[in-house]
Amino acid sequence: MPMEKEGPIGIFDSGVGGLSVLRHIRDALPTENLLYFADSAHVPYGDKTEQAILERSLAIAKFLLEQNAKALVVACNTATAAAIKAIRSAYPSLAVVGIEPGLKPAALHTRTKIIGVLATKGTLSSASFNTLSGKIATSAGVQFALQACVGLADQIEKGELDTDATEILIHRYIAPLIPQNVDTLVLGCTHYPFVRPMIEKTLRQLSSAPITIIDTGDAVAKQLMRILAEVEICRIDERAGRLTAFTTGNPIVLKNTIFALLGWQTEVFQVVAEL
Ligand code: DGL
């Protein structure tokens, strides 16, 4: 198992959503080398079967390890729900961090005890989400109002962060949550932080009471920091780390999207769609 301190951290998502996690990782661990894998030929994961997502995730994990990744971040809620257990059992000595909708921080924050959750169909129907939400609902005495946002990740993939079509979609998904007295809204998909301004605008239009948004990208970066320190594989170097990206889609599109979303020039390589 490649555990060299110099090795990069492998981060993956169905598409560009994981970049919302990557930017927190870059802030928290500026000297680490990062590999980003966008499975753009297969996005969205949210409408696929667990088995299909599991197979993709294992293939991508293997690819990233072949690039000497010393740790893996599953920067996708849908893939974490479907595949993190299998990845951990395939690579028991590897540091693996996943992302789950921030139900716990939301339960600590809510006053109305009703929490909205925006996520993909795959995440909301997964066994791991249902086990977690059931436990938290019982222990904290809260209710979750679930909203699958079909098509929203696709809008973000197209770069439509502030178009009318995206606004209409966001309005359609958020409107039913307001009469349920939601005061906290969990972004349970890593694509959604990129439309956070549009979500905030829609919340202001629909609700006179403030609604707090919960995003766990930062918590994932902190967890990764803790694990790297624990297993003593932090990169010891003063120089800034490099980001290299891979996609099963069009590398020019990913290069332009990384620049548009994060303002970074990145080398992007194309990988065969069926790894
Ligand atoms: N970004 C992913 C997530 O966090 C999934 C979006 C998709 O491919 O449907 O769930």
PDB file of all heavy atoms in Angstrom, residues 13-18 36 42-48 74-80 99 119-123 149 153-154 157 187-192, ligand 1:
ATOM      1  N   ASP A  13     -15.403  12.390  -7.420  1.00  0.00           N
ATOM      2  CA  ASP A  13     -16.848  12.665  -7.448  1.00  0.00           C
ATOM      3  C   ASP A  13     -17.352  12.226  -8.825  1.00  0.00           C
ATOM      4  O   ASP A  13     -16.555  11.958  -9.731  1.00  0.00           O
ATOM      5  CB  ASP A  13     -17.087  14.167  -7.257  1.00  0.00           C
ATOM      6  CG  ASP A  13     -18.573  14.545  -7.340  1.00  0.00           C
ATOM      7  OD1 ASP A  13     -19.374  13.928  -6.624  1.00  0.00           O
ATOM      8  OD2 ASP A  13     -18.925  15.443  -8.128  1.00  0.00           O
ATOM      9  N   SER A  14     -18.684  12.200  -8.972  1.00  0.00           N
ATOM     10  CA  SER A  14     -19.273  11.890 -10.275  1.00  0.00           C
ATOM     11  C   SER A  14     -18.898  12.940 -11.312  1.00  0.00           C
ATOM     12  O   SER A  14     -18.902  12.670 -12.508  1.00  0.00           O
ATOM     13  CB  SER A  14     -20.792  11.842 -10.143  1.00  0.00           C
ATOM     14  OG  SER A  14     -21.262  13.093  -9.641  1.00  0.00           O
ATOM     15  N   GLY A  15     -18.621  14.159 -10.866  1.00  0.00           N
ATOM     16  CA  GLY A  15     -18.321  15.236 -11.809  1.00  0.00           C
ATOM     17  C   GLY A  15     -17.570  16.337 -11.089  1.00  0.00           C
ATOM     18  O   GLY A  15     -16.566  16.071 -10.429  1.00  0.00           O
ATOM     19  N   VAL A  16     -18.112  17.567 -11.181  1.00  0.00           N
ATOM     20  CA  VAL A  16     -17.380  18.708 -10.606  1.00  0.00           C
ATOM     21  C   VAL A  16     -17.757  19.006  -9.160  1.00  0.00           C
ATOM     22  O   VAL A  16     -17.150  19.860  -8.523  1.00  0.00           O
ATOM     23  CB  VAL A  16     -17.571  19.982 -11.469  1.00  0.00           C
ATOM     24  CG1 VAL A  16     -17.023  19.747 -12.868  1.00  0.00           C
ATOM     25  CG2 VAL A  16     -19.034  20.425 -11.519  1.00  0.00           C
ATOM     26  N   GLY A  17     -18.767  18.296  -8.621  1.00  0.00           N
ATOM     27  CA  GLY A  17     -19.243  18.585  -7.272  1.00  0.00           C
ATOM     28  C   GLY A  17     -18.155  18.491  -6.211  1.00  0.00           C
ATOM     29  O   GLY A  17     -18.054  19.339  -5.323  1.00  0.00           O
ATOM     30  N   GLY A  18     -17.305  17.493  -6.342  1.00  0.00           N
ATOM     31  CA  GLY A  18     -16.255  17.283  -5.341  1.00  0.00           C
ATOM     32  C   GLY A  18     -15.276  18.441  -5.250  1.00  0.00           C
ATOM     33  O   GLY A  18     -14.528  18.558  -4.271  1.00  0.00           O
ATOM     34  N   TYR A  36      -7.573  15.070  -8.514  1.00  0.00           N
ATOM     35  CA  TYR A  36      -9.037  15.139  -8.561  1.00  0.00           C
ATOM     36  C   TYR A  36      -9.524  14.305  -9.735  1.00  0.00           C
ATOM     37  O   TYR A  36      -9.061  14.467 -10.860  1.00  0.00           O
ATOM     38  CB  TYR A  36      -9.519  16.590  -8.731  1.00  0.00           C
ATOM     39  CG  TYR A  36     -11.023  16.661  -8.640  1.00  0.00           C
ATOM     40  CD1 TYR A  36     -11.635  16.560  -7.399  1.00  0.00           C
ATOM     41  CD2 TYR A  36     -11.821  16.763  -9.769  1.00  0.00           C
ATOM     42  CE1 TYR A  36     -13.022  16.567  -7.300  1.00  0.00           C
ATOM     43  CE2 TYR A  36     -13.197  16.770  -9.675  1.00  0.00           C
ATOM     44  CZ  TYR A  36     -13.792  16.675  -8.436  1.00  0.00           C
ATOM     45  OH  TYR A  36     -15.163  16.676  -8.329  1.00  0.00           O
ATOM     46  N   HIS A  42     -20.029   9.487 -16.552  1.00  0.00           N
ATOM     47  CA  HIS A  42     -21.088   8.741 -15.855  1.00  0.00           C
ATOM     48  C   HIS A  42     -21.935   9.607 -14.934  1.00  0.00           C
ATOM     49  O   HIS A  42     -22.742   9.089 -14.158  1.00  0.00           O
ATOM     50  CB  HIS A  42     -20.475   7.574 -15.071  1.00  0.00           C
ATOM     51  CG  HIS A  42     -19.729   6.618 -15.939  1.00  0.00           C
ATOM     52  ND1 HIS A  42     -18.364   6.688 -16.110  1.00  0.00           N
ATOM     53  CD2 HIS A  42     -20.161   5.615 -16.730  1.00  0.00           C
ATOM     54  CE1 HIS A  42     -17.983   5.741 -16.955  1.00  0.00           C
ATOM     55  NE2 HIS A  42     -19.052   5.081 -17.344  1.00  0.00           N
ATOM     56  N   VAL A  43     -21.727  10.937 -14.992  1.00  0.00           N
ATOM     57  CA  VAL A  43     -22.522  11.815 -14.145  1.00  0.00           C
ATOM     58  C   VAL A  43     -23.936  11.924 -14.737  1.00  0.00           C
ATOM     59  O   VAL A  43     -24.066  11.892 -15.957  1.00  0.00           O
ATOM     60  CB  VAL A  43     -21.837  13.228 -14.045  1.00  0.00           C
ATOM     61  CG1 VAL A  43     -21.862  13.990 -15.363  1.00  0.00           C
ATOM     62  CG2 VAL A  43     -22.395  14.035 -12.906  1.00  0.00           C
ATOM     63  N   PRO A  44     -25.023  11.975 -13.975  1.00  0.00           N
ATOM     64  CA  PRO A  44     -25.066  11.980 -12.523  1.00  0.00           C
ATOM     65  C   PRO A  44     -25.101  10.575 -11.920  1.00  0.00           C
ATOM     66  O   PRO A  44     -25.599   9.647 -12.546  1.00  0.00           O
ATOM     67  CB  PRO A  44     -26.392  12.704 -12.234  1.00  0.00           C
ATOM     68  CG  PRO A  44     -27.276  12.332 -13.398  1.00  0.00           C
ATOM     69  CD  PRO A  44     -26.358  12.183 -14.578  1.00  0.00           C
ATOM     70  N   TYR A  45     -24.549  10.445 -10.725  1.00  0.00           N
ATOM     71  CA  TYR A  45     -24.632   9.182  -9.983  1.00  0.00           C
ATOM     72  C   TYR A  45     -26.004   9.054  -9.302  1.00  0.00           C
ATOM     73  O   TYR A  45     -26.449   7.958  -8.992  1.00  0.00           O
ATOM     74  CB  TYR A  45     -23.565   9.140  -8.881  1.00  0.00           C
ATOM     75  CG  TYR A  45     -22.160   8.746  -9.319  1.00  0.00           C
ATOM     76  CD1 TYR A  45     -21.846   8.487 -10.650  1.00  0.00           C
ATOM     77  CD2 TYR A  45     -21.152   8.630  -8.368  1.00  0.00           C
ATOM     78  CE1 TYR A  45     -20.556   8.129 -11.014  1.00  0.00           C
ATOM     79  CE2 TYR A  45     -19.859   8.266  -8.727  1.00  0.00           C
ATOM     80  CZ  TYR A  45     -19.563   8.014 -10.052  1.00  0.00           C
ATOM     81  OH  TYR A  45     -18.282   7.657 -10.406  1.00  0.00           O
ATOM     82  N   GLY A  46     -26.613  10.206  -9.030  1.00  0.00           N
ATOM     83  CA  GLY A  46     -27.821  10.232  -8.197  1.00  0.00           C
ATOM     84  C   GLY A  46     -28.969   9.371  -8.685  1.00  0.00           C
ATOM     85  O   GLY A  46     -29.809   8.942  -7.892  1.00  0.00           O
ATOM     86  N   ASP A  47     -29.020   9.095  -9.994  1.00  0.00           N
ATOM     87  CA  ASP A  47     -30.132   8.304 -10.540  1.00  0.00           C
ATOM     88  C   ASP A  47     -29.708   6.869 -10.843  1.00  0.00           C
ATOM     89  O   ASP A  47     -30.474   6.089 -11.381  1.00  0.00           O
ATOM     90  CB  ASP A  47     -30.631   8.943 -11.857  1.00  0.00           C
ATOM     91  CG  ASP A  47     -30.967  10.411 -11.681  1.00  0.00           C
ATOM     92  OD1 ASP A  47     -31.223  10.821 -10.534  1.00  0.00           O
ATOM     93  OD2 ASP A  47     -30.958  11.152 -12.683  1.00  0.00           O
ATOM     94  N   LYS A  48     -28.445   6.516 -10.515  1.00  0.00           N
ATOM     95  CA  LYS A  48     -27.957   5.174 -10.847  1.00  0.00           C
ATOM     96  C   LYS A  48     -28.212   4.181  -9.700  1.00  0.00           C
ATOM     97  O   LYS A  48     -28.465   4.597  -8.567  1.00  0.00           O
ATOM     98  CB  LYS A  48     -26.453   5.215 -11.142  1.00  0.00           C
ATOM     99  CG  LYS A  48     -26.136   6.031 -12.379  1.00  0.00           C
ATOM    100  CD  LYS A  48     -24.727   5.799 -12.850  1.00  0.00           C
ATOM    101  CE  LYS A  48     -24.506   6.303 -14.255  1.00  0.00           C
ATOM    102  NZ  LYS A  48     -25.066   7.611 -14.567  1.00  0.00           N
ATOM    103  N   VAL A  74     -13.756  10.410  -0.735  1.00  0.00           N
ATOM    104  CA  VAL A  74     -14.937  10.201  -1.574  1.00  0.00           C
ATOM    105  C   VAL A  74     -15.762  11.480  -1.440  1.00  0.00           C
ATOM    106  O   VAL A  74     -16.530  11.640  -0.498  1.00  0.00           O
ATOM    107  CB  VAL A  74     -15.720   8.953  -1.114  1.00  0.00           C
ATOM    108  CG1 VAL A  74     -16.868   8.667  -2.080  1.00  0.00           C
ATOM    109  CG2 VAL A  74     -14.799   7.740  -1.001  1.00  0.00           C
ATOM    110  N   ALA A  75     -15.555  12.414  -2.386  1.00  0.00           N
ATOM    111  CA  ALA A  75     -16.148  13.752  -2.257  1.00  0.00           C
ATOM    112  C   ALA A  75     -17.526  13.791  -2.898  1.00  0.00           C
ATOM    113  O   ALA A  75     -17.870  14.723  -3.636  1.00  0.00           O
ATOM    114  CB  ALA A  75     -15.219  14.792  -2.867  1.00  0.00           C
ATOM    115  N   CYS A  76     -18.304  12.766  -2.619  1.00  0.00           N
ATOM    116  CA  CYS A  76     -19.621  12.591  -3.228  1.00  0.00           C
ATOM    117  C   CYS A  76     -20.488  11.863  -2.204  1.00  0.00           C
ATOM    118  O   CYS A  76     -20.136  10.757  -1.776  1.00  0.00           O
ATOM    119  CB  CYS A  76     -19.466  11.754  -4.494  1.00  0.00           C
ATOM    120  SG  CYS A  76     -21.025  11.302  -5.269  1.00  0.00           S
ATOM    121  N   ASN A  77     -21.595  12.476  -1.815  1.00  0.00           N
ATOM    122  CA  ASN A  77     -22.483  11.843  -0.829  1.00  0.00           C
ATOM    123  C   ASN A  77     -23.068  10.537  -1.365  1.00  0.00           C
ATOM    124  O   ASN A  77     -23.190   9.552  -0.637  1.00  0.00           O
ATOM    125  CB  ASN A  77     -23.645  12.791  -0.499  1.00  0.00           C
ATOM    126  CG  ASN A  77     -23.199  14.027   0.251  1.00  0.00           C
ATOM    127  OD1 ASN A  77     -23.260  14.081   1.463  1.00  0.00           O
ATOM    128  ND2 ASN A  77     -22.732  15.035  -0.474  1.00  0.00           N
ATOM    129  N   THR A  78     -23.413  10.546  -2.657  1.00  0.00           N
ATOM    130  CA  THR A  78     -24.054   9.376  -3.256  1.00  0.00           C
ATOM    131  C   THR A  78     -23.078   8.198  -3.299  1.00  0.00           C
ATOM    132  O   THR A  78     -23.447   7.061  -2.974  1.00  0.00           O
ATOM    133  CB  THR A  78     -24.547   9.724  -4.686  1.00  0.00           C
ATOM    134  OG1 THR A  78     -25.185  10.998  -4.657  1.00  0.00           O
ATOM    135  CG2 THR A  78     -25.512   8.689  -5.200  1.00  0.00           C
ATOM    136  N   ALA A  79     -21.829   8.476  -3.674  1.00  0.00           N
ATOM    137  CA  ALA A  79     -20.829   7.409  -3.735  1.00  0.00           C
ATOM    138  C   ALA A  79     -20.420   6.960  -2.333  1.00  0.00           C
ATOM    139  O   ALA A  79     -20.144   5.776  -2.110  1.00  0.00           O
ATOM    140  CB  ALA A  79     -19.609   7.884  -4.520  1.00  0.00           C
ATOM    141  N   THR A  80     -20.391   7.887  -1.383  1.00  0.00           N
ATOM    142  CA  THR A  80     -20.070   7.493  -0.005  1.00  0.00           C
ATOM    143  C   THR A  80     -21.122   6.509   0.495  1.00  0.00           C
ATOM    144  O   THR A  80     -20.801   5.456   1.062  1.00  0.00           O
ATOM    145  CB  THR A  80     -20.013   8.735   0.920  1.00  0.00           C
ATOM    146  OG1 THR A  80     -18.984   9.603   0.454  1.00  0.00           O
ATOM    147  CG2 THR A  80     -19.722   8.341   2.371  1.00  0.00           C
ATOM    148  N   ILE A  99     -18.077  11.646   2.602  1.00  0.00           N
ATOM    149  CA  ILE A  99     -18.924  12.787   2.991  1.00  0.00           C
ATOM    150  C   ILE A  99     -20.372  12.333   3.121  1.00  0.00           C
ATOM    151  O   ILE A  99     -20.873  11.588   2.282  1.00  0.00           O
ATOM    152  CB  ILE A  99     -18.780  13.970   1.997  1.00  0.00           C
ATOM    153  CG1 ILE A  99     -19.570  15.191   2.489  1.00  0.00           C
ATOM    154  CG2 ILE A  99     -19.202  13.606   0.580  1.00  0.00           C
ATOM    155  CD1 ILE A  99     -19.181  16.496   1.820  1.00  0.00           C
ATOM    156  N   ALA A 119     -30.683  16.466  -1.469  1.00  0.00           N
ATOM    157  CA  ALA A 119     -29.671  15.473  -1.857  1.00  0.00           C
ATOM    158  C   ALA A 119     -30.148  14.763  -3.114  1.00  0.00           C
ATOM    159  O   ALA A 119     -31.220  15.068  -3.648  1.00  0.00           O
ATOM    160  CB  ALA A 119     -29.451  14.475  -0.714  1.00  0.00           C
ATOM    161  N   THR A 120     -29.342  13.803  -3.582  1.00  0.00           N
ATOM    162  CA  THR A 120     -29.770  13.032  -4.753  1.00  0.00           C
ATOM    163  C   THR A 120     -30.730  11.926  -4.307  1.00  0.00           C
ATOM    164  O   THR A 120     -30.786  11.568  -3.121  1.00  0.00           O
ATOM    165  CB  THR A 120     -28.565  12.372  -5.460  1.00  0.00           C
ATOM    166  OG1 THR A 120     -28.014  11.367  -4.583  1.00  0.00           O
ATOM    167  CG2 THR A 120     -27.499  13.372  -5.835  1.00  0.00           C
ATOM    168  N   LYS A 121     -31.442  11.380  -5.304  1.00  0.00           N
ATOM    169  CA  LYS A 121     -32.346  10.254  -5.024  1.00  0.00           C
ATOM    170  C   LYS A 121     -31.559   9.099  -4.414  1.00  0.00           C
ATOM    171  O   LYS A 121     -31.998   8.447  -3.470  1.00  0.00           O
ATOM    172  CB  LYS A 121     -32.959   9.784  -6.350  1.00  0.00           C
ATOM    173  CG  LYS A 121     -34.383  10.140  -6.485  1.00  0.00           C
ATOM    174  CD  LYS A 121     -35.114   9.584  -7.679  1.00  0.00           C
ATOM    175  CE  LYS A 121     -34.405   8.814  -8.737  1.00  0.00           C
ATOM    176  NZ  LYS A 121     -35.114   8.688 -10.002  1.00  0.00           N
ATOM    177  N   GLY A 122     -30.354   8.855  -4.969  1.00  0.00           N
ATOM    178  CA  GLY A 122     -29.513   7.748  -4.500  1.00  0.00           C
ATOM    179  C   GLY A 122     -29.160   7.884  -3.031  1.00  0.00           C
ATOM    180  O   GLY A 122     -29.253   6.921  -2.257  1.00  0.00           O
ATOM    181  N   THR A 123     -28.759   9.087  -2.621  1.00  0.00           N
ATOM    182  CA  THR A 123     -28.394   9.296  -1.216  1.00  0.00           C
ATOM    183  C   THR A 123     -29.616   9.090  -0.326  1.00  0.00           C
ATOM    184  O   THR A 123     -29.554   8.370   0.685  1.00  0.00           O
ATOM    185  CB  THR A 123     -27.833  10.728  -1.013  1.00  0.00           C
ATOM    186  OG1 THR A 123     -26.627  10.838  -1.761  1.00  0.00           O
ATOM    187  CG2 THR A 123     -27.547  11.017   0.447  1.00  0.00           C
ATOM    188  N   CYS A 149     -33.263  16.310  -5.411  1.00  0.00           N
ATOM    189  CA  CYS A 149     -33.167  17.418  -6.382  1.00  0.00           C
ATOM    190  C   CYS A 149     -32.750  16.878  -7.744  1.00  0.00           C
ATOM    191  O   CYS A 149     -31.624  17.126  -8.206  1.00  0.00           O
ATOM    192  CB  CYS A 149     -32.183  18.461  -5.889  1.00  0.00           C
ATOM    193  SG  CYS A 149     -32.646  19.167  -4.310  1.00  0.00           S
ATOM    194  N   ALA A 153     -27.790  18.650 -10.122  1.00  0.00           N
ATOM    195  CA  ALA A 153     -26.349  18.412 -10.355  1.00  0.00           C
ATOM    196  C   ALA A 153     -26.025  18.609 -11.849  1.00  0.00           C
ATOM    197  O   ALA A 153     -24.974  19.149 -12.193  1.00  0.00           O
ATOM    198  CB  ALA A 153     -25.951  17.014  -9.894  1.00  0.00           C
ATOM    199  N   ASP A 154     -26.967  18.210 -12.723  1.00  0.00           N
ATOM    200  CA  ASP A 154     -26.725  18.385 -14.176  1.00  0.00           C
ATOM    201  C   ASP A 154     -26.589  19.861 -14.538  1.00  0.00           C
ATOM    202  O   ASP A 154     -25.766  20.225 -15.381  1.00  0.00           O
ATOM    203  CB  ASP A 154     -27.882  17.790 -14.994  1.00  0.00           C
ATOM    204  CG  ASP A 154     -28.058  16.313 -14.726  1.00  0.00           C
ATOM    205  OD1 ASP A 154     -27.213  15.532 -15.166  1.00  0.00           O
ATOM    206  OD2 ASP A 154     -29.031  15.946 -14.037  1.00  0.00           O
ATOM    207  N   GLU A 157     -23.192  20.863 -13.576  1.00  0.00           N
ATOM    208  CA  GLU A 157     -22.227  20.301 -14.533  1.00  0.00           C
ATOM    209  C   GLU A 157     -22.164  21.164 -15.797  1.00  0.00           C
ATOM    210  O   GLU A 157     -21.106  21.332 -16.393  1.00  0.00           O
ATOM    211  CB  GLU A 157     -22.628  18.870 -14.933  1.00  0.00           C
ATOM    212  CG  GLU A 157     -22.371  17.838 -13.866  1.00  0.00           C
ATOM    213  CD  GLU A 157     -20.887  17.603 -13.581  1.00  0.00           C
ATOM    214  OE1 GLU A 157     -20.089  17.558 -14.525  1.00  0.00           O
ATOM    215  OE2 GLU A 157     -20.530  17.494 -12.393  1.00  0.00           O
ATOM    216  N   LEU A 187     -27.208  20.822   2.781  1.00  0.00           N
ATOM    217  CA  LEU A 187     -26.801  20.580   1.390  1.00  0.00           C
ATOM    218  C   LEU A 187     -26.157  19.198   1.350  1.00  0.00           C
ATOM    219  O   LEU A 187     -24.994  19.041   1.715  1.00  0.00           O
ATOM    220  CB  LEU A 187     -25.827  21.654   0.898  1.00  0.00           C
ATOM    221  CG  LEU A 187     -26.305  23.107   0.987  1.00  0.00           C
ATOM    222  CD1 LEU A 187     -25.314  24.045   0.299  1.00  0.00           C
ATOM    223  CD2 LEU A 187     -27.703  23.281   0.408  1.00  0.00           C
ATOM    224  N   GLY A 188     -26.930  18.195   0.950  1.00  0.00           N
ATOM    225  CA  GLY A 188     -26.476  16.801   1.024  1.00  0.00           C
ATOM    226  C   GLY A 188     -25.907  16.281  -0.275  1.00  0.00           C
ATOM    227  O   GLY A 188     -25.927  15.068  -0.529  1.00  0.00           O
ATOM    228  N   CYS A 189     -25.409  17.170  -1.104  1.00  0.00           N
ATOM    229  CA  CYS A 189     -24.763  16.776  -2.364  1.00  0.00           C
ATOM    230  C   CYS A 189     -23.660  17.791  -2.606  1.00  0.00           C
ATOM    231  O   CYS A 189     -23.871  19.001  -2.437  1.00  0.00           O
ATOM    232  CB  CYS A 189     -25.777  16.810  -3.510  1.00  0.00           C
ATOM    233  SG  CYS A 189     -25.031  16.680  -5.166  1.00  0.00           S
ATOM    234  N   THR A 190     -22.485  17.306  -2.984  1.00  0.00           N
ATOM    235  CA  THR A 190     -21.328  18.210  -3.080  1.00  0.00           C
ATOM    236  C   THR A 190     -21.429  19.181  -4.254  1.00  0.00           C
ATOM    237  O   THR A 190     -20.654  20.140  -4.325  1.00  0.00           O
ATOM    238  CB  THR A 190     -20.018  17.401  -3.170  1.00  0.00           C
ATOM    239  OG1 THR A 190     -20.111  16.475  -4.267  1.00  0.00           O
ATOM    240  CG2 THR A 190     -19.757  16.648  -1.882  1.00  0.00           C
ATOM    241  N   HIS A 191     -22.355  18.947  -5.168  1.00  0.00           N
ATOM    242  CA  HIS A 191     -22.555  19.918  -6.243  1.00  0.00           C
ATOM    243  C   HIS A 191     -23.219  21.204  -5.717  1.00  0.00           C
ATOM    244  O   HIS A 191     -22.980  22.289  -6.247  1.00  0.00           O
ATOM    245  CB  HIS A 191     -23.458  19.336  -7.340  1.00  0.00           C
ATOM    246  CG  HIS A 191     -22.761  18.433  -8.308  1.00  0.00           C
ATOM    247  ND1 HIS A 191     -22.356  17.166  -7.979  1.00  0.00           N
ATOM    248  CD2 HIS A 191     -22.392  18.615  -9.605  1.00  0.00           C
ATOM    249  CE1 HIS A 191     -21.779  16.602  -9.042  1.00  0.00           C
ATOM    250  NE2 HIS A 191     -21.793  17.465 -10.038  1.00  0.00           N
ATOM    251  N   TYR A 192     -24.106  21.060  -4.722  1.00  0.00           N
ATOM    252  CA  TYR A 192     -24.989  22.178  -4.370  1.00  0.00           C
ATOM    253  C   TYR A 192     -24.306  23.417  -3.790  1.00  0.00           C
ATOM    254  O   TYR A 192     -24.829  24.525  -3.974  1.00  0.00           O
ATOM    255  CB  TYR A 192     -26.125  21.697  -3.437  1.00  0.00           C
ATOM    256  CG  TYR A 192     -26.949  20.539  -3.979  1.00  0.00           C
ATOM    257  CD1 TYR A 192     -27.774  19.778  -3.143  1.00  0.00           C
ATOM    258  CD2 TYR A 192     -26.901  20.177  -5.326  1.00  0.00           C
ATOM    259  CE1 TYR A 192     -28.512  18.704  -3.640  1.00  0.00           C
ATOM    260  CE2 TYR A 192     -27.633  19.102  -5.817  1.00  0.00           C
ATOM    261  CZ  TYR A 192     -28.427  18.369  -4.968  1.00  0.00           C
ATOM    262  OH  TYR A 192     -29.159  17.300  -5.448  1.00  0.00           O
TER     263      TYR A 192
HETATM  264  N1  DGL B   1     -22.000  15.226  -6.068  1.00  0.00           N
HETATM  265  C1  DGL B   1     -22.685  14.038  -5.778  1.00  0.00           C
HETATM  266  C2  DGL B   1     -23.157  13.948  -4.340  1.00  0.00           C
HETATM  267  O1  DGL B   1     -22.555  14.534  -3.468  1.00  0.00           O
HETATM  268  C3  DGL B   1     -23.674  13.455  -6.743  1.00  0.00           C
HETATM  269  C4  DGL B   1     -24.289  14.215  -7.838  1.00  0.00           C
HETATM  270  C5  DGL B   1     -24.728  13.229  -8.905  1.00  0.00           C
HETATM  271  O2  DGL B   1     -23.863  12.758  -9.634  1.00  0.00           O
HETATM  272  O3  DGL B   1     -25.925  12.903  -8.969  1.00  0.00           O
HETATM  273  O4  DGL B   1     -24.085  13.271  -4.033  1.00  0.00           O
END
